[in-house]
mmCIF file of all heavy atoms in Angstrom:
data_model
loop_
_atom_site.group_PDB
_atom_site.id
_atom_site.type_symbol
_atom_site.label_atom_id
_atom_site.label_comp_id
_atom_site.label_asym_id
_atom_site.label_seq_id
_atom_site.Cartn_x
_atom_site.Cartn_y
_atom_site.Cartn_z
ATOM 1 N N ARG C 665 -22.562 -167.151 109.135
ATOM 2 C CA ARG C 665 -21.414 -167.706 109.829
ATOM 3 C C ARG C 665 -21.025 -166.733 110.960
ATOM 4 O O ARG C 665 -20.728 -167.126 112.132
ATOM 5 C CB ARG C 665 -20.237 -168.031 108.947
ATOM 6 C CG ARG C 665 -20.398 -169.265 108.048
ATOM 7 C CD ARG C 665 -19.299 -169.401 107.117
ATOM 8 N NE ARG C 665 -17.995 -169.429 107.826
ATOM 9 C CZ ARG C 665 -16.826 -169.235 107.233
ATOM 10 N NH1 ARG C 665 -16.740 -168.938 105.979
ATOM 11 N NH2 ARG C 665 -15.713 -169.308 108.023
ATOM 12 N N LEU C 666 -20.981 -165.429 110.676
ATOM 13 C CA LEU C 666 -20.608 -164.501 111.570
ATOM 14 C C LEU C 666 -21.626 -164.423 112.748
ATOM 15 O O LEU C 666 -21.194 -164.367 113.900
ATOM 16 C CB LEU C 666 -20.507 -163.146 110.903
ATOM 17 C CG LEU C 666 -19.840 -161.985 111.733
ATOM 18 C CD1 LEU C 666 -18.450 -162.358 112.127
ATOM 19 C CD2 LEU C 666 -19.924 -160.654 111.002
ATOM 20 N N ASP C 667 -22.903 -164.517 112.397
ATOM 21 C CA ASP C 667 -23.940 -164.479 113.457
ATOM 22 C C ASP C 667 -23.791 -165.747 114.324
ATOM 23 O O ASP C 667 -23.931 -165.673 115.600
ATOM 24 C CB ASP C 667 -25.270 -164.424 112.769
ATOM 25 C CG ASP C 667 -26.385 -164.481 113.831
ATOM 26 O OD1 ASP C 667 -26.562 -163.520 114.562
ATOM 27 O OD2 ASP C 667 -27.102 -165.581 113.927
ATOM 28 N N HIS C 668 -23.509 -166.846 113.751
ATOM 29 C CA HIS C 668 -23.321 -168.097 114.532
ATOM 30 C C HIS C 668 -22.097 -167.996 115.454
ATOM 31 O O HIS C 668 -22.224 -168.386 116.654
ATOM 32 C CB HIS C 668 -23.155 -169.288 113.627
ATOM 33 C CG HIS C 668 -23.001 -170.642 114.296
ATOM 34 N ND1 HIS C 668 -24.112 -171.283 114.902
ATOM 35 C CD2 HIS C 668 -21.995 -171.428 114.422
ATOM 36 C CE1 HIS C 668 -23.714 -172.377 115.434
ATOM 37 N NE2 HIS C 668 -22.364 -172.546 115.238
ATOM 38 N N LEU C 669 -21.001 -167.513 114.990
ATOM 39 C CA LEU C 669 -19.823 -167.375 115.822
ATOM 40 C C LEU C 669 -20.061 -166.424 116.946
ATOM 41 O O LEU C 669 -19.674 -166.678 118.128
ATOM 42 C CB LEU C 669 -18.623 -166.918 114.928
ATOM 43 C CG LEU C 669 -18.172 -167.984 113.925
ATOM 44 C CD1 LEU C 669 -17.008 -167.334 113.085
ATOM 45 C CD2 LEU C 669 -17.582 -169.198 114.569
ATOM 46 N N VAL C 670 -20.613 -165.239 116.647
ATOM 47 C CA VAL C 670 -20.847 -164.211 117.686
ATOM 48 C C VAL C 670 -21.845 -164.762 118.714
ATOM 49 O O VAL C 670 -21.715 -164.504 119.927
ATOM 50 C CB VAL C 670 -21.370 -162.956 117.070
ATOM 51 C CG1 VAL C 670 -21.793 -161.971 118.144
ATOM 52 C CG2 VAL C 670 -20.235 -162.307 116.206
ATOM 53 N N GLY C 671 -22.883 -165.493 118.188
ATOM 54 C CA GLY C 671 -23.855 -166.047 119.186
ATOM 55 C C GLY C 671 -23.222 -167.024 120.100
ATOM 56 O O GLY C 671 -23.439 -167.016 121.317
ATOM 57 N N ASN C 672 -22.315 -167.905 119.648
ATOM 58 C CA ASN C 672 -21.621 -168.840 120.488
ATOM 59 C C ASN C 672 -20.656 -168.170 121.461
ATOM 60 O O ASN C 672 -20.632 -168.529 122.642
ATOM 61 C CB ASN C 672 -20.791 -169.889 119.668
ATOM 62 C CG ASN C 672 -21.591 -171.010 119.177
ATOM 63 O OD1 ASN C 672 -22.654 -171.316 119.763
ATOM 64 N ND2 ASN C 672 -21.196 -171.674 118.129
ATOM 65 N N LEU C 673 -20.051 -167.105 121.032
ATOM 66 C CA LEU C 673 -19.175 -166.325 121.928
ATOM 67 C C LEU C 673 -19.967 -165.709 123.089
ATOM 68 O O LEU C 673 -19.623 -165.668 124.144
ATOM 69 C CB LEU C 673 -18.406 -165.238 121.158
ATOM 70 C CG LEU C 673 -17.273 -165.781 120.238
ATOM 71 C CD1 LEU C 673 -16.771 -164.674 119.390
ATOM 72 C CD2 LEU C 673 -16.146 -166.396 121.134
ATOM 73 N N LEU C 674 -21.148 -165.127 122.686
ATOM 74 C CA LEU C 674 -21.983 -164.492 123.691
ATOM 75 C C LEU C 674 -22.564 -165.576 124.686
ATOM 76 O O LEU C 674 -22.634 -165.327 125.903
ATOM 77 C CB LEU C 674 -23.146 -163.771 123.056
ATOM 78 C CG LEU C 674 -22.757 -162.497 122.277
ATOM 79 C CD1 LEU C 674 -23.955 -161.855 121.592
ATOM 80 C CD2 LEU C 674 -22.117 -161.455 123.131
ATOM 81 N N ASP C 675 -22.931 -166.722 124.132
ATOM 82 C CA ASP C 675 -23.393 -167.796 125.027
ATOM 83 C C ASP C 675 -22.339 -168.275 125.970
ATOM 84 O O ASP C 675 -22.570 -168.454 127.171
ATOM 85 C CB ASP C 675 -23.840 -168.970 124.179
ATOM 86 C CG ASP C 675 -25.159 -168.658 123.404
ATOM 87 O OD1 ASP C 675 -25.904 -167.759 123.914
ATOM 88 O OD2 ASP C 675 -25.498 -169.296 122.424
ATOM 89 N N MET C 676 -21.112 -168.405 125.504
ATOM 90 C CA MET C 676 -20.024 -168.783 126.402
ATOM 91 C C MET C 676 -19.763 -167.753 127.429
ATOM 92 O O MET C 676 -19.475 -168.090 128.577
ATOM 93 C CB MET C 676 -18.730 -169.098 125.548
ATOM 94 C CG MET C 676 -17.567 -169.542 126.396
ATOM 95 S SD MET C 676 -17.920 -170.920 127.503
ATOM 96 C CE MET C 676 -18.400 -172.188 126.314
#
Side-chain angles (χ1 to χ4, degrees):
R665 288 176 54 197
L666 190 61
D667 178 69
H668 182 71
L669 293 174
V670 172
N672 277 337
L673 289 172
L674 293 176
D675 289 338
M676 180 53 60

